[in-house]
């Protein structure tokens, strides 16, 4: 007994010394209460740290000791907390923006350097950059800023589609508050659906995907809406050439419940409508508009529970209407409409299950619908006729998911979770109705039938600090898809590693296997709303890919970051329309119009970024090759993908001259798109045996699919933003020029004749030099 | 000065829309175009012309004074004799299951060559006739029959034809392995298919066609073309080209050619023809 007591007395001090406690809490903005995603929390002496998750929550378990904890975030004044840790403790921290402190320069945070991060092929977008860079018509656009990053290519001129590392537009998982957005385009792709005033954070991942993400092959674009100001009512808005927008946010109950509403609408139709009416003697009207509406409510139930409800509603509509009063009485009416839009909703519950365990449960709804129709009515009292044709397509998702963040100690950051999604696909349904006096009524529906499917996934990952030099993010993502009696299963390992060569240099490598159960059927490059989302079926297998990447990252000197990456990606079961196929051609099932094949993409990306100082921005360069191979396309030979772009350069710079003035500059260069155009023509027999007649039929000779290169694309944009603090608000006048040196960039090519009748190849360009201005205000 | 500024802006703005650009593509050089379909029992004839630059609006030119040799296997069997309008004629009668080659040399052009074979015909068997069947699209005649495959990889082109007029009858079919169908499974230029989905060397086909549009003789011919692979590939791309050439949203079509160094097609085929009585 004495011996035991002696042992206890000897061991007790060391047991107490080894005792661990957890510091947890939230990091937020002192001014508006917005939670700061990715804020750094760092113990200065132990060299241990963590980052705040997507909901601003952090947890750090340390041994009982005197603690010197630093909270930092890019663009914010760091805070140090010194205390003795002898029990679990909750510390909620509010950081103050350097702008609020009256500083001009952007200051980088201490421990967020590029070489420290395990995640490679990932870029977080600074929203202030999005707002200060020049853009087409002055409409700030998150996706157009993303297009300037290496590894990301734009589609056609002016459009907001993104093509990441050789993948198609359907291979991007674009999430708004964790909900997939299926169509991100307004105005046939010239603007994206994301209103930057309502957005807080944007992260793009191009490779080395953490296991928590899945369902797409090429990228994840995780866009988070603002939570709503917890402290006071604020607002911002703008009036531009194309659209105006207004955002309001504030507390419903101070410090407990906040709201955010944001709306945007174009007004071209309102301006044009009187002219159309006047030109048609009041008989016709028509126009085009789009609108967005974002809303969010954030409610803190107690210290450990928060709920959020967020929604997005957006619609594009083009229409014409013709009313004609007939001679002798009666009337005739003709209406044509084209409309599409998304509805997105998320109900989220965050719960701190323990100081080390955080849960996020989300119920989501996402719907994209496209509809076009023509309606004709005729009535003269004696006779009447009614004709209606409609075509609709779309996709609808209902999903439930739960994610858990578990931080047992500073060396491990575990994440696990599961999700179930019920998809409803409407891949092109036609409706026809015809009735009238002395007419047998017709009322029929045809086309592809509605398909329901169920998708499930589960994942587990660990961000593991093996030692001071080596950090690994390893995980596994398992998914299944069930459609029309067919089931697919996939287990996808993921691995990213970072090895510090010294304080400033790190080498990184990653491998990711991905599976995608949805395909986008598209045969145009401009993101038409007619593009169809279709499921994997018994005949059309799910897309899969394997990607490896390796590179290095360094901080060259304070505020200058450089990353160089090489990647190689193989994609299986890609689909393309068959030769000659078109969504207009006939009403057969979509599966009969497509071919399945393989794709390869490989290349290197360089990103040099200046993150601090008056002058900030980046230069990105991509050298890449992207190929496709299908048994029945290009006679089975490999061919370049439409957006195979050997060289792609994006330069985005801002210069903050003073609190009142900043400048933005963008320069882009890209190798021309690969297109298929005929090089010669010849006559062949248009009649096949057993018909005996020979008649000459001239056909085009296309030597290789996508074998011709359009001229290269380049453009320079410039903007000046003039800010002024007024009595009750702050206003900004933005002036800018898109395509400053009036480069005639190719949109499409066609053969025609010049004024003398000589045939030639002609290039159509969309946007010449375009000046713009907009007025923004904030209160 | 002010006006000059405004005019300059307008000129720049509207000049940016469209411009002619240089076009240089290695595929634009003029090449020989050879077209020939051969079948057992019919002497060989070949049409020879030249391709033209896509930007040219000249007439297509036939090519004369060419030396065209016909080979059966590796043996030269004859040199074709030139006729009018680019036609060249032979007297040799090709036979089933043989391989044939053409070589063609003409001054000013690269020499071209092409190979094909004449396949053994498939057999039409077990024909069942149903007259005036009520369908979702109205009253039609329906034919059900088997295609019996001679073995190996085979390609087919199915037509329904008027026995006297030598024109094709469009038909409807939901048979899964038929290709080149259009809206609601209607076939206007015959149906191409392969034997990939046949069971035990037999493939059953069901076709139906409007009875009221048919001929007074109340009979129809089933033409089953057993095609060489070259015939099948050429026909498939020709069909895709013809249905898509005026659709601005259609994918481009690359025409198949088995002519080395040139364009066109040299294809072999054989025909199984069965007359079906449609009287009550």
């Amino acid at each position: 007994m004495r011996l035991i007591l002696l042992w206890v007395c000897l061991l007790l001090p060391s047991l107490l010394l080894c005792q661990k406690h957890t510091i947890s809490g939230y990091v937020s903005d002192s001014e508006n209460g917005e939670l700061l995603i990715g804020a750094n929390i760092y113990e200065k002496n132990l060299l241990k740290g963590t980052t705040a998750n997507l909901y601003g929550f952090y947890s750090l378990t340390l041994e009982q000791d005197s603690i010197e904890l630093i909270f930092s975030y890019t663009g914010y004044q760091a805070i140090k907390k010194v205390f003795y840790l002898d029990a679990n403790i909750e510390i909620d921290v509010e950081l103050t923006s350097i702008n609020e402190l009256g500083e001009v320069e952007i200051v980088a945070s201490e421990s967020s350097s590029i070489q420290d991060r395990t995640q490679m092929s990932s870029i977080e977008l600074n929203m202030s950059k999005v707002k200060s860079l020049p853009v087409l018509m002055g409409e700030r656009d998150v996706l157009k800023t993303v297009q300037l990053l290496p590894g990301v290519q734009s589609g056609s001129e002016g459009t907001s589609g993104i093509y990441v590392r050789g993948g198609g537009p359907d291979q991007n998982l674009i999430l708004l508050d964790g909900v997939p957005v299926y169509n991100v385009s307004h105005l046939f792709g010239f603007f994206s659906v994301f209103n930057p005033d309502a957005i807080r954070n944007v992260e793009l991942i191009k490779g080395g995907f953490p296991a928590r993400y899945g369902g797409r092959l090429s990228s994840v674009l995780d866009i988070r809406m603002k939570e709503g100001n917890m402290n006071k009512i604020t607002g911002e808005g703008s009036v531009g050439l194309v659209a105006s927008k207004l955002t309001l946010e504030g507390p419903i109950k101070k410090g407990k419940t906040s709201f955010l509403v944001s709306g945007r609408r174009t007004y071209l139709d309102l301006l044009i409508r009187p002219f159309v009416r006047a030109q048609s003697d009041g008989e016709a009207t028509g126009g085009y508009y789009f609108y967005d509406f974002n809303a969010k409510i954030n409610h803190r139930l107690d210290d450990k529970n928060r709920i959020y409800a967020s929604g997005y509603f957006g619609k594009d509509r083009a229409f014409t209407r013709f009313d004609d009063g007939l001679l002798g009485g009666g009337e005739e009416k003709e209406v044509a409409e084209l409309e599409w839009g998304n509805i997105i909703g998320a109900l989220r519950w965050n719960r701190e299950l323990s100081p080390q365990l955080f849960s996020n449960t989300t119920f989501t709804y996402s719907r994209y619908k496209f509809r076009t129709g023509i309606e004709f009515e005729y009535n003269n009292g004696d006779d009447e006729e009614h004709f209606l044709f409609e075509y609709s397509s779309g996709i609808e998702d209902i999903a439930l998911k739960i994610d858990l963040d578990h931080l047992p100690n500073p060396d491990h950051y575990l994440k696990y979770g599961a999700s179930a999604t019920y998809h409803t696909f409407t891949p092109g349904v036609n409706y026809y109705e015809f009735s009238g006096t002395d007419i047998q009524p017709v009322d029929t529906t045809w086309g592809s039938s509605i398909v329901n499917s169920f998708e499930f996934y589960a994942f587990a990952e660990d961000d593991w600090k093996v030692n001071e030099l080596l950090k690994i993010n390893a995980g596994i993502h398992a998914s299944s898809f069930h459609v029309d009696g067919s089931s697919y299963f996939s287990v996808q390992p993921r691995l990213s590693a970072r090895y510090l060569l010294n304080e400033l240099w790190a080498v990184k490598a990653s491998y990711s296997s991905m599976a995608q159960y949805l395909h986008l059927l598209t045969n145009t490059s401009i993101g038409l709303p007619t593009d169809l989302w279709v499921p994997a079926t018994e005949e059309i297998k799910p897309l899969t890919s394997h990607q490896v990447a390796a590179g290095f990252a360094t901080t060259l000197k304070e505020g200058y970051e450089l990353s160089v990456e090489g990647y190689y990606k193989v994609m299986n079961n890609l689909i393309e329309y068959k030769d000659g196929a078109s969504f207009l051609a006939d009403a057969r099932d979509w599966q009969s119009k497509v071919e399945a094949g393989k794709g390869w993409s490989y290349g290197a990306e360089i990103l040099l970024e200046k993150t601090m100082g008056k002058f900030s921005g980046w230069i990105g360069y991509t050298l890449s090759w992207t190929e496709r191979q299908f048994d029945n396309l290009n006679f089975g030979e490999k061919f370049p993908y439409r957006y195979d772009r050997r060289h792609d350069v994006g330069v985005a710079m801002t210069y903050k001259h003073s609190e009142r003035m900043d400048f933005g500059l963008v320069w882009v260069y890209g190798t021309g798109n690969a297109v298929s155009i005929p090089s010669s023509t010849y006559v062949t027999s248009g009649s096949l045996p057993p018909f005996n007649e020979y008649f000459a039929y001239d056909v085009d000779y296309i030597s290789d699919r996508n074998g011709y290169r359009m001229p290269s694309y380049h453009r320079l944009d410039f903007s000046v933003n003039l800010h002024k603090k007024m009595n009750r608000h702050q206003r900004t006048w933005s002036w800018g020029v898109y395509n400053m040196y009036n480069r005639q960039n190719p949109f499409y090519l066609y053969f025609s004749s010049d004024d003398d009748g000589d045939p030639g190849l002609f290039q159509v360009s969309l946007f010449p030099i375009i000046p713009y201005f907009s007025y923004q205000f904030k209160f | 000065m002010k006006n000059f500024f405004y005019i300059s802006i307008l000129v720049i703005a509207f000049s940016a829309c469209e411009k002619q650009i240089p076009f240089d593509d290695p595929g634009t050089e003029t090449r020989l175009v050879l077209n020939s379909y051969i079948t057992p029992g019919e002497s060989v004839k070949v049409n020879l012309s030249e391709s033209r630059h896509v930007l040219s609006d000249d007439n297509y030119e036939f090519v004369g004074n060419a030396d065209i040799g016909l080979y059966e296997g590796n043996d030269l069997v004859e040199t074709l004799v030139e006729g009018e309008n680019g036609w060249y004629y032979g007297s040799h009668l090709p036979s089933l299951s043989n391989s044939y080659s053409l070589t063609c040399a003409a001054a000013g052009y690269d020499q071209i060559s092409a190979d094909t074979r004449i396949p053994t015909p498939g057999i039409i068997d077990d024909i069942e006739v149903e007259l005036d069947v009520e369908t979702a699209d109205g009253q039609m005649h329906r034919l059900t029959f088997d295609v019996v495959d001679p073995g190996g990889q085979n390609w087919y082109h199915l037509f329904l034809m008027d026995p006297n007029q030598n024109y094709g009858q469009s038909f409807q079919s939901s048979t899964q392995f038929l290709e080149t169908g259009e809206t609601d499974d209607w076939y206007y230029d015959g149906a191409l298919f392969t034997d990939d989905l046949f069971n035990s060397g037999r493939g059953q086909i069901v076709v139906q066609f409007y009875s009221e549009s048919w001929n007074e003789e109340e009979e129809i011919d089933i033409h089953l073309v057993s095609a060489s692979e070259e015939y099948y590939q050429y026909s498939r791309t020709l069909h895709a080209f013809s249905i898509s050439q005026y659709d601005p949203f259609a994918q481009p079509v690359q025409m198949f050619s088995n002519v080395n160094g040139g364009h066109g097609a040299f294809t072999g085929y054989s025909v199984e023809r069965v007359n079906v009585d449609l009287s009550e």
Side-chain angles (χ1 to χ4, degrees), chain A residues 523 579-582 584 586 634 679-681 684-685 689 697-698 705 742 744 750-751 759 761 763-765 768-769, chain B residues 12 16-19 21 27-28 35 37 52 54-55 60 183 223 231 234 242 244-245 247 249 251-252 254 269:
Chain A
N523 67 352
D579 273 359
S582 160
L584 280 182
D586 56 53
N634 202 40
S679 50
S680 57
T681 61
T684 188
S685 172
Y697 188 75
D698 64 330
R705 190 178 175 92
N742 194 36
Q744 295 184 33
Y750 72 103
F751 292 109
L761 180 62
Q763 167 192 294
V764 172
S765 306
I769 179 171
Chain B
I12 289 170
C17 294
E18 186 181 295
K19 70 172 183 180
I21 59 172
T28 53
N35 282 296
Y37 309 95
R52 69 178 194 199
V54 69
L55 296 177
Y60 290 106
T183 309
H223 275 237
Y231 176 110
Y234 176 76
S242 66
S244 65
Q245 61 179 327
D247 180 350
F249 297 104
Q251 292 294 297
Q254 286 176 272
Y269 69 97

Side-chain angles (χ1 to χ4, degrees), chain A residues 155-179:
Chain A
S156 302
E157 154 127 67
T159 59
S160 55
I162 57 172
Y163 299 80
V164 181
R165 290 187 171 174
D170 56 331
Q171 294 176 18
N172 307 310
L173 178 63
I174 299 179
L175 299 168
L176 181 63
D177 269 355
V179 191

Side-chain angles (χ1 to χ4, degrees), chain A residues 546-596:
Chain A
H546 300 275
Q547 185 182 173
V548 287
F552 65 84
T554 182
T555 299
L556 294 170
K557 65 177 193 177
E558 196 175 11
Y560 287 86
E561 293 183 342
L562 173 71
S563 70
V564 178
E565 288 185 16
Y567 66 92
Y568 185 86
K569 182 162 68 173
V570 181
M571 297 165 276
N572 299 303
N573 304 323
L574 297 169
I575 62 169
E576 288 265 346
Y577 271 114
K578 288 180 176 176
D579 273 359
S582 160
F583 72 92
L584 280 182
D586 56 53
R588 284 180 303 154
D589 185 71
W590 63 270
Q591 292 180 83
S592 65
K593 299 183 192 176
V594 300
E595 301 279 355

Side-chain angles (χ1 to χ4, degrees), chain A residues 351-466:
Chain A
R351 179 169 170 74
E352 192 185 321
L353 296 167
S354 78
Q356 296 177 340
L357 191 60
F358 180 89
S359 75
N360 174 48
T361 308
T362 319
F363 174 76
T364 67
Y365 175 81
S366 179
R367 191 196 79 174
Y368 168 68
K369 191 174 179 186
F370 168 78
R371 189 186 76 85
T372 183
I374 300 170
E375 186 173 14
F376 173 77
E377 270 181 20
Y378 167 82
N379 189 341
N380 72 355
D382 299 326
D383 293 320
E384 60 178 295
E385 266 182 31
H386 177 248
F387 165 85
L388 173 68
F389 172 76
E390 277 190 358
Y391 169 87
S392 63
S393 66
I395 179 169
E396 185 180 58
D397 283 3
I398 298 172
L400 182 67
K401 65 176 178 176
I402 180 162
D403 304 321
L404 293 165
D405 286 13
H406 184 199
L407 299 100
N409 60 57
D411 294 335
H412 289 275
Y413 194 139
L414 294 152
K415 293 184 180 191
Y416 22 83
S419 168
T421 305
Y422 185 74
H423 300 283
T424 303
F425 297 87
T426 311
V429 174
N430 301 274
Y431 175 73
Y432 173 74
E433 187 184 308
F434 188 42
S435 61
T437 312
D438 300 329
I439 294 171
Q440 182 74 26
V442 180
D443 181 344
T444 183
T445 301
W446 76 95
S448 300
S449 52
I450 289 171
V451 181
N452 298 310
S453 64
F454 184 72
E455 187 175 355
F456 175 82
Y457 74 73
F459 71 90
E461 69 173 77
D462 184 14
D463 204 43
W464 177 27
K465 190 176 179 182
V466 180

Side-chain angles (χ1 to χ4, degrees), chain A residues 630-699:
Chain A
F630 292 73
D631 286 345
N632 292 316
L633 297 180
N634 202 40
F635 307 113
E637 299 292 320
K638 279 186 183 176
F639 59 91
Y641 183 49
R642 189 189 303 154
Y643 301 111
D644 170 48
R645 206 163 284 173
R646 197 69 63 248
H647 306 284
D648 195 79
V649 182
V651 178
M653 296 288 177
T654 56
Y655 178 74
K656 193 161 185 176
H657 177 263
S658 67
E659 270 304 296
R660 297 188 58 177
M661 186 188 295
D662 60 67
F663 302 92
L665 180 143
V666 164
W667 186 71
V668 289
Y669 173 88
T671 304
N673 291 343
V675 292
S676 303
I677 58 173
S679 50
S680 57
T681 61
Y682 60 93
V683 285
T684 188
S685 172
S687 174
L688 291 162
F691 302 100
N692 289 322
E693 292 169 16
Y694 178 94
F695 71 88
Y697 188 75
D698 64 330
V699 294

